[in-house]
Amino acid sequence: MKVLVIGSGAREHAICWRLASSRSVSQVFCAPGNPGIASVATCLPSNVSAVDELLAIAVDRGVDLTVVGPEAALAAGIVDAFEAKGLRIVGPSQVAAQLETSKSFAKEVMVAAGVPTAAYHVFKTREEVEAFCATRGSPLVLKADGLASGKGVFVIQNNTEFSDAIEMLFGSLRASRVVVEEFLEGVEVSCIFACNGDDAIPLAPAHDYKRLADNDEGPNTGGMGSVCPTPRISEADLEWIRVNCALPIVETMKARGTPFKGFLYAGLMVDSRLPREQGIKVLEYNTRLGDPECQSIMVRLVSEPVELYEWMSGARAEAPSLQWSKSVATCVVIASDGYPEAPRRGDQITGLELAALVPNTVVFHASTLQAENSKILSGGGRTLSVVGVATSVEEARALAYKSVDVIQLRGRRVRRDIGL
């Protein structure tokens, strides 16, 4: 079987890495890929939103199955285009992907489906947001309605923070609508479900670290690390989340004539002080594998990934039984200097060969470039994801940081508290 993976980040590197070890896969392609992905797949230059070009690649290369990584490709309607040509693809339709591409749409569906979530209001103008925030006061959460690469969420703890957040939302982020939510207390958990339009199968749960700096300080990012499996919820909690936070969405989307097929990522707030029914609420949905959660999840997946992807795409009727290693995975992100405000590009990365010698670790490339002299350079933003795998989270994080510390990148940004 030939498989095409769409994307160029660490998430896609992890997907390709796992597919490359599959007995069912003869060749892995990745469009556009990156220098790290090139070690496990054939990279094909293309823009993830160039749907017609990607469709031509799949046809010309005789691809049997396509797996979509980034939200931009889903928002561009790649799944609709592939399915119209009879090609198997893993991901939701453009309409179903609105669960991620529109925060207001997602909240409306959550309410219709009876999913526990924070109370909210939707505003279209700066003046409306300013007036509401001035009246209600902190704490509140402000979210850009559309895609913002993990930088469109502002958790306001002090009234003095409203002005800068609102300026960012209506300024550089150019939000056409803003969702304002009640602030929820607790810890965050990421539960990702594989869906085929009728059912939802949970992947191993994880949790990530969204703030840039230690102790959850600094601005929000796309994610600076992750741990899988998370100790923050139990198996019973996960089943409750499946029944109350995933299946209702699948059923509601199907009833609307827009069935959800693909990965449904539920970002949850868990307050262990409250009963489960009041203490678990959905913060947001994404419609693809999370990054950096995917990296720590994929290294633990023992069962055949192709069987899961075929079931999700409709090529397989029987639901697969997922098997996970008993190990713990800790992922630490290395970001470029200036991230997330103004990330630098073009700085040389060294020490990758030494990092590869650290046992039970994997380095996934996120945003890297290869110079003509074969040197690896940073592409800006989150540059690398380093995953340590061991029998405990303490051992896993020690391995991950051992590998991180032999990798050199000018002005790099790394959290030191992942897994604590």
Side-chain angles (χ1 to χ4, degrees):
M1 172 180 285
K2 295 181 179 180
V3 182
L4 170 64
V5 177
I6 307 298
S8 62
R11 169 182 49 219
E12 290 75 37
H13 191 173
I15 294 170
C16 290
W17 174 84
R18 184 62 186 84
L19 282 168
S21 67
S22 169
R23 299 183 304 273
S24 304
V25 177
S26 59
Q27 191 166 10
V28 181
F29 300 103
C30 189
N34 63 41
I37 293 174
S39 66
V40 293
T42 300
C43 294
L44 305 169
S46 178
N47 187 295
V48 297
S49 300
V51 173
D52 291 341
E53 186 176 308
L54 293 167
L55 185 60
I57 287 174
V59 172
D60 293 344
R61 300 281 178 159
V63 169
D64 301 293
L65 179 69
T66 298
V67 181
V68 183
E71 58 273 30
L74 299 171
I78 189 171
V79 172
D80 307 73
F82 272 56
E83 290 186 339
K85 293 293 185 180
L87 299 179
R88 296 292 185 185
I89 186 168
V90 176
S93 66
Q94 190 175 41
V95 172
Q98 288 182 99
L99 286 168
E100 176 169 8
T101 60
S102 172
K103 295 289 191 298
S104 59
F105 175 83
K107 296 294 281 192
E108 185 268 315
V109 173
M110 282 187 238
V111 172
V115 169
T117 189
Y120 75 104
H121 299 271
V122 180
F123 301 104
K124 295 183 178 179
T125 68
R126 179 195 295 257
E127 291 73 24
E128 290 174 329
V129 176
E130 288 175 337
F132 181 84
C133 292
T135 301
R136 182 65 62 90
S138 60
L140 283 173
V141 180
L142 279 58
K143 299 180 178 179
D145 185 55
L147 295 175
S149 301
K151 304 177 187 70
V153 178
F154 300 86
V155 180
I156 307 300
Q157 298 282 8
N158 188 295
N159 288 352
T160 59
E161 299 170 355
F162 279 124
S163 178
D164 287 345
I166 293 171
E167 174 59 34
M168 181 77 74
L169 286 163
F170 288 97
S172 60
L173 293 176
R174 299 180 181 179
S176 58
R177 286 184 293 187
V178 170
V179 177
V180 182
E181 294 182 351
E182 68 170 317
F183 173 78
L184 300 176
E185 293 189 5
V187 293
E188 292 191 35
V189 172
S190 305
C191 291
I192 303 174
F193 298 87
C195 305
N196 72 340
D198 294 301
D199 202 358
I201 299 174
L203 304 188
H207 68 261
D208 73 336
Y209 298 75
K210 289 186 171 60
R211 297 281 187 155
L212 176 67
D214 290 4
N215 303 313
D216 286 330
E217 296 181 352
N220 268 329
T221 71
M224 296 300 292
S226 64
V227 172
C228 177
T230 177
R232 295 177 176 179
I233 60 171
S234 65
E235 285 293 328
D237 291 332
L238 180 59
E239 177 58 17
W240 188 92
I241 292 164
R242 187 184 80 88
V243 171
N244 293 277
C245 304
L247 283 179
I249 296 296
V250 173
E251 292 164 356
T252 298
M253 295 299 286
K254 182 179 180 180
R256 293 183 175 201
T258 55
F260 188 90
K261 297 188 296 181
F263 288 108
L264 181 66
Y265 170 122
L268 304 137
M269 184 64 77
V270 178
D271 189 341
S272 59
R273 300 170 303 176
L274 301 173
R276 184 184 291 148
E277 292 73 14
Q278 290 83 46
I280 299 178
K281 292 187 178 181
V282 176
L283 296 173
E284 64 175 356
Y285 288 113
N286 292 331
T287 58
R288 35 76 191 185
L289 286 165
D291 181 346
E293 293 94 338
C294 176
Q295 292 87 293
S296 57
I297 290 172
M298 278 295 156
V299 298
R300 296 187 61 247
L301 179 62
V302 174
S303 52
E304 176 56 70
V306 169
E307 292 181 0
L308 178 66
Y309 296 146
E310 287 182 327
W311 178 78
M312 295 169 70
S313 70
R316 175 188 172 95
E318 182 182 357
S321 177
L322 300 186
Q323 303 297 322
W324 305 94
S325 73
K326 295 181 180 180
S327 59
V328 177
T330 300
C331 174
V332 179
V333 169
I334 299 176
S336 298
D337 187 15
Y339 178 78
E341 301 90 349
R344 283 177 53 93
R345 289 169 52 92
D347 290 318
Q348 184 178 355
I349 303 169
T350 61
L352 291 172
E353 299 84 358
L354 292 174
L357 298 177
V358 179
N360 299 316
T361 63
V362 187
V363 178
F364 295 118
H365 288 225
S367 179
T368 59
L369 308 167
Q370 187 156 14
E372 292 182 1
N373 57 8
S374 297
K375 292 181 179 179
I376 301 298
L377 310 178
S378 66
R382 292 182 296 168
T383 305
L384 299 165
S385 287
V386 182
V387 183
V389 183
T391 56
S392 69
V393 67
E394 293 81 12
E395 293 177 72
R397 72 181 303 273
L399 286 170
Y401 280 112
K402 184 175 181 180
S403 184
V404 164
D405 289 341
V406 299
I407 297 172
Q408 299 302 310
L409 171 63
R410 177 191 178 278
R412 68 180 195 167
R413 298 191 170 185
V414 176
R415 279 187 64 155
R416 305 301 304 189
D417 62 348
I418 305 301
L420 292 180

